[in-house]
Amino acid sequence: MADNQRIHPVVDMEAPPPTRPLVPEGLFKSEKREAVMHQSVPFQRTIPVMHSKPPKQRSCCCKCLCWTVSLLLLLLIIIGAAAGIIYLVFQPKIPKYSVDSLTISALRLNFDLSLYARFNVRITADNPNKKIGIYYEKGSHLSVWYKRTNLCQGTVPKFYQGHQNRTVLNVALTGQSTYGQTLLSALQEEQQTGRIPLDLKIDVPVSVKLGKLKLRKVRILGDCMLIVDSLSTNSLVRIRASTCKFRLKL
């Protein structure tokens, strides 16, 4: 009978129940490790990386501007090359002009005390070009001045001047000036010295002919400072000195 008896453990009813952790021991250890790391490692703030913007593509305006500049440069190159070829082929030269003589037909006071003057000027135009002709167009203007007073004015007739041609022009100039008595007295005083300063201004529109091609109009501007010995009417006035300057105005 003793062999068939089983021994059961005696349970102490008054002993407190055993405590069991709610969190697994491994998880508790990892959290503790993280807490220690957070305490030991200083706080670092993450700065976002700013990426540079991609380069912008050229706008249509920029492309148009580049094309325009390129075309202008090409046009300038073509014009320069054409001008160089024309210069080498035709070898253009500025025409030469000279004032040969001056005649005073009239210089008198009118009833209204204005000064009436009539001059005849002889001008020689010389075209030295071998392959260039000159058309003298309408709208020319010649005038004779004494100091700041316009004594008389006239025009050059319209004509064509051929290659290496020399043409003599007789131009009649007439005009009236106010304060004639004062002006005539000043001219008479200058005449006593034998050196009367006169200024001949020239403005003539011309067209140049290159071979069979007629180019656009340009203007020949001239300024001739004349020193004459007298203002005697109906007689040839002697020109003591003459200084002329001519230029082209496009």
Side-chain angles (χ1 to χ4, degrees):
M1 183 171 180
D3 295 334
N4 294 330
Q5 292 181 351
R6 295 181 180 179
I7 301 174
H8 297 279
V10 181
V11 178
D12 189 359
M13 301 300 295
E14 298 180 358
T19 59
R20 187 176 182 182
L22 299 177
V23 181
E25 184 178 0
L27 182 60
F28 176 75
K29 290 181 180 181
S30 63
E31 291 180 354
K32 186 175 181 181
R33 247 189 337 267
E34 290 179 1
V36 173
M37 290 177 64
H38 281 296
Q39 293 178 0
S40 60
V41 178
F43 176 75
Q44 296 181 355
R45 183 179 178 182
T46 304
I47 301 175
V49 179
M50 301 297 292
H51 297 282
S52 60
K53 296 182 179 180
K56 295 181 179 180
Q57 296 181 353
R58 293 182 177 178
S59 62
C60 295
C61 294
C62 184
K63 292 181 179 179
C64 292
L65 181 61
C66 292
W67 275 105
T68 303
V69 173
S70 300
L71 289 176
L72 288 177
L73 290 176
L74 181 60
L75 182 62
L76 290 176
I77 293 174
I78 294 174
I79 292 175
I85 293 173
I86 291 175
Y87 182 82
L88 292 175
V89 173
F90 293 96
Q91 298 180 356
K93 298 177 182 178
I94 298 178
K96 298 178 181 180
Y97 303 93
S98 62
V99 180
D100 301 330
S101 63
L102 175 65
T103 304
I104 300 176
S105 302
L107 185 65
R108 64 177 184 268
L109 286 175
N110 294 326
F111 291 106
D112 58 357
L113 296 182
S114 62
L115 182 65
Y116 174 78
R118 179 180 176 87
F119 292 3
N120 293 305
V121 182
R122 183 179 178 181
I123 301 174
T124 299
D126 184 12
N127 179 16
N129 296 281
K130 297 180 180 180
K131 300 179 181 180
I132 298 177
I134 302 174
Y135 287 94
Y136 289 82
E137 307 287 356
K138 293 182 178 180
S140 62
H141 183 75
L142 275 71
S143 58
V144 175
W145 294 69
Y146 171 70
K147 296 183 178 180
R148 296 185 179 180
T149 303
N150 186 359
L151 298 178
C152 51
Q153 55 275 339
T155 60
V156 175
K158 181 180 177 181
F159 70 100
Y160 172 74
Q161 187 176 26
H163 309 156
Q164 293 183 318
N165 177 266
R166 178 174 294 177
T167 303
V168 177
L169 303 172
N170 291 300
V171 184
L173 310 174
T174 59
Q176 293 183 358
S177 306
T178 56
Y179 306 103
Q181 183 64 49
T182 303
L183 182 59
L184 184 59
S185 299
L187 289 171
Q188 289 174 351
E189 290 180 2
E190 293 279 5
Q191 186 172 351
Q192 293 178 2
T193 64
R195 298 182 65 87
I196 305 170
L198 298 177
D199 186 7
L200 175 62
K201 297 183 181 297
I202 301 172
D203 184 357
V204 182
V206 298
S207 297
V208 178
K209 184 180 180 182
L210 301 177
K212 296 183 179 181
L213 179 63
K214 185 178 180 180
L215 303 182
R216 61 184 295 270
K217 290 182 182 180
V218 296
R219 306 190 76 88
I220 297 178
L221 303 179
D223 193 354
C224 292
M225 300 299 297
L226 307 176
I227 302 296
V228 299
D229 61 347
S230 69
L231 296 175
S232 300
T233 59
N234 298 321
S235 62
L236 186 63
V237 175
R238 179 185 175 189
I239 300 176
R240 291 182 175 271
S242 175
T243 304
C244 295
K245 295 180 180 179
F246 293 92
R247 60 186 179 89
L248 290 178
K249 182 179 180 181
L250 301 179

